[in-house]
Amino acid sequence: MTASSDDGNAPQDPARRDFLGTVTAAVATAGAVAACWPFISSMNPSTDVLAEANTEVDLSGIAAGQMQTVAWQGKPIFILHRTPDEITAMAASNGGKDPQPDGQRVKNPQWLVVIALCTHMGCIPNKNSEGWLCPCHGSVYDNSGRILSGPAPRNLDIPPYTFATADKIVIGKS
Ligand code: FES
């Protein structure tokens, strides 16, 4: 008969002990991060510093029909290289519930630059061939970032930006 059962004093399986130690450490770390978040957050750059932060984007690697997402001041920015067909279609329409000519939303018709936050409650819309669809409540935007349908009240916002060269924009500078 084998000596069995745990009498409370028997050494535990080392692998199990290591696993429990790892889990405990992970939970402790998560708790520490959560507890420290207000403190960590307070260490972020001040609003003044953020307001001065610019993001430079090289456009040369974004092919027609492609979109790139970059970060600017903690916000996602969509940069869409529009095709000739998309440019023509957007110029022929004023959008939907927040009418605006496409020409007022771009500095160069090939390039649409918008803040990638749905104007309803701030979700990040998903790109499709017609524009964007917000996954949260179904707002639909066209390839000018104009709201067509759904609960979003207005078009996607446009950040300040400027063309430093034909192939480079600086977001945050107008
Ligand atoms: S957050 Fe986009 S539709 Fe509600």
Side-chain angles (χ1 to χ4, degrees), residues 113-138:
V113 181
V114 290
I115 296 176
L117 297 173
C118 180
T119 59
H120 180 221
M121 294 180 72
C123 292
I124 299 178
N126 294 323
K127 187 76 182 83
N128 59 34
S129 60
E130 303 302 317
W132 289 269
L133 171 65
C134 182
C136 292
H137 313 97

Side-chain angles (χ1 to χ4, degrees), residues 12 23 30 47 49 53 66 94 96 110-111 136 165 167-169 174:
Q12 295 189 349
V23 169
T47 308
V49 172
Q66 299 296 305
N94 273 345
Q110 282 186 313
W111 298 101
C136 292
T165 68
D167 280 339
K168 185 166 84 175
I169 60 170
S174 51

